[in-house]
Amino acid sequence: MMTVREVSKLTGLSVRALQYYDRIGLLHPAERTEAGYRLYDENDLERLQQIMLFRELAFPLQEIRAILTRPDFDRTLALEQQIVLLELRRDRLEELIALARQIKDTGGKTMDFKPFDTKQIDEYAKQAREAWGDTPEYREFERRGSSAEELKSAGDKLMDVFRAMGAVRDQSPDAPEPQRLVKALQDCITEHFYTCSDETLSGLGQMYASGNDFTKNIDRAGGPGTAAFAAKAIEVYCRSKA
């Protein structure tokens, strides 16, 4: 565990910024001491890295909060797209540096404006934003305008469902209790995040078992194998309603 001052020293963010991130629901500390001091664990630091990468790409804090809070946020996909965007920005910066040196060497007689063209970066950024948030579900989630406290409560309720799912993972996925919990999961997402259709739920189930952060978080809540079990139960549930 790290204190807020230790995290500040490690990351370069001010203590005030970290406190603000907590207040707006962007980054809650894993624990607090009896005196109320914030304590951050490894998962918090991983989330903070993701936040800082989005900030480097000029995403507003409220938008970052909405993206990271969504139950279908795919950290692996986001990282892949962030890497491409950062590489595109690096290449453009190198071209601008080269142009500036050339202008200096030629006394300002270089009529090359290509390095100023941002079409490629803008187009990829547009595609990435569509993947991260420009979907009907995201827009519905944004319109709801949930507070930081409401989002934290919603996340806790979602994990409660997975804890219950973990408790019955020795049963068959098509047994009554796992199927009841799938319905509870769907209702929880619809109530607190966005309308979770059977099609959307099916897609979420596939992501839950994909081995990324979804799998880790669900297994952390319900025990090893919970994510894979939940995915199978969701598959049965959606197939029965097709």
Side-chain angles (χ1 to χ4, degrees), residues 147-190:
S147 68
E149 291 74 19
E150 288 170 336
L151 288 174
K152 185 178 185 304
S153 175
D156 291 343
K157 288 176 182 177
L158 205 61
M159 287 300 108
D160 285 342
V161 176
F162 286 121
R163 288 187 189 94
M165 189 75 76
V168 299
R169 65 186 186 280
D170 58 337
Q171 299 183 21
S172 173
D174 61 358
E177 184 59 13
Q179 289 300 293
R180 185 192 70 79
L181 289 170
V182 172
K183 179 64 166 59
L185 176 68
Q186 185 178 36
D187 291 345
C188 182
I189 294 171
T190 295

Side-chain angles (χ1 to χ4, degrees), residues 50-188:
Q50 190 63 247
I51 292 167
M52 294 175 75
L53 281 170
F54 274 119
R55 288 295 288 154
E56 286 294 326
L57 295 169
F59 274 65
L61 291 178
Q62 294 296 339
E63 190 170 346
I64 297 171
R65 186 193 74 166
I67 291 171
L68 295 183
T69 306
R70 288 172 52 192
D72 57 348
F73 172 68
D74 188 336
R75 181 172 179 265
T76 302
L77 175 62
L79 280 169
E80 290 171 354
Q81 293 171 323
Q82 287 168 336
I83 288 168
V84 173
L85 270 173
L86 290 167
E87 287 176 341
L88 288 172
R89 291 192 173 198
R90 177 202 62 197
D91 294 345
R92 179 170 180 266
L93 183 59
E94 288 177 349
E95 290 175 358
L96 286 169
I97 292 170
L99 175 62
R101 286 175 175 158
Q102 191 175 3
I103 292 172
K104 178 184 176 184
D105 294 341
T106 61
K109 300 193 181 297
T110 301
M111 294 295 105
D112 181 7
F113 291 89
K114 185 175 178 297
F116 296 101
D117 187 353
T118 64
K119 287 191 183 72
Q120 186 180 14
I121 296 176
D122 293 343
E123 179 58 30
Y124 191 85
K126 180 174 178 289
Q127 294 173 10
R129 280 179 179 272
E130 289 172 353
W132 290 327
D134 193 11
T135 63
E137 291 83 5
Y138 175 82
R139 289 192 289 272
E140 180 183 348
F141 178 59
E142 279 284 83
R143 285 196 300 272
R144 294 190 180 191
S146 301
S147 68
E149 291 74 19
E150 288 170 336
L151 288 174
K152 185 178 185 304
S153 175
D156 291 343
K157 288 176 182 177
L158 205 61
M159 287 300 108
D160 285 342
V161 176
F162 286 121
R163 288 187 189 94
M165 189 75 76
V168 299
R169 65 186 186 280
D170 58 337
Q171 299 183 21
S172 173
D174 61 358
E177 184 59 13
Q179 289 300 293
R180 185 192 70 79
L181 289 170
V182 172
K183 179 64 166 59
L185 176 68
Q186 185 178 36
D187 291 345
C188 182

